[in-house]
Amino acid sequence: MAEVTLFHNTACSTSRYALDTTNESEIDVDVVQYLKQPLTYDQLRDLLRKLEDSAADLVRKDKQFKELGLDADDYVDDEAVATLLAQHPKLMQRPVLVKGDRAIIGRPKDRVTAFLEG
């Protein structure tokens, strides 16, 4: 079993940075390309239980979020966020790193190294 799970988006430079950092640290990492293997509602709920950041932070409030006509105030609790991200995985913030019973959003980049060392 890998030491760290990285929910990764290959198109994201910050996510690629997290992958490079785990590889340089010689940490055993399980890379999950969550756009190819979307997380289920239950997997997202589990991730949110471990997340040191707020549930609302896991949702990208980007162009697609706006195009869907969504309101950020509606996506602040675990249930609402898990439901949204199960339906729209592209809205998940990236990268997300999981180590044991802890998880973080790897933004800004300096959080990645600190998390891996902790």
Side-chain angles (χ1 to χ4, degrees):
M1 186 169 170
E3 282 181 75
V4 172
T5 299
L6 171 65
F7 294 99
H8 178 58
N9 180 335
T10 58
C12 172
S13 63
T14 305
S15 194
R16 289 192 307 269
Y17 172 84
L19 180 59
D20 291 344
T21 302
T22 58
N23 289 335
E24 290 168 8
S25 301
E26 298 182 8
I27 291 173
D28 186 21
V29 62
D30 180 21
V31 179
V32 176
Q33 292 187 33
Y34 66 91
L35 295 178
K36 291 182 180 179
Q37 300 171 317
L39 281 73
T40 65
Y41 173 84
D42 290 336
Q43 290 171 317
L44 287 158
R45 286 297 301 247
D46 183 56
L47 176 62
L48 286 161
R49 278 190 285 281
K50 297 175 183 178
L51 193 64
E52 295 177 5
D53 304 284
S54 74
D57 289 341
L58 193 58
V59 178
R60 294 177 57 84
K61 283 50 166 214
D62 61 4
K63 181 181 176 184
Q64 182 182 7
F65 186 87
K66 291 176 179 72
E67 287 173 353
L68 290 169
L70 302 175
D71 182 343
D73 292 339
D74 294 334
Y75 301 98
V76 295
D77 65 71
D78 290 6
E79 184 175 340
V81 169
T83 299
L84 175 67
L85 296 179
Q87 294 172 354
H88 302 283
K90 286 183 179 182
L91 293 178
M92 188 167 104
Q93 190 61 266
R94 74 278 179 142
V96 177
L97 296 98
V98 180
K99 184 177 178 184
D101 63 352
R102 297 176 52 225
I104 64 159
I105 298 167
R107 289 179 180 274
K109 292 178 181 180
D110 61 347
R111 294 187 78 199
V112 172
T113 302
F115 181 73
L116 295 174
E117 292 174 353

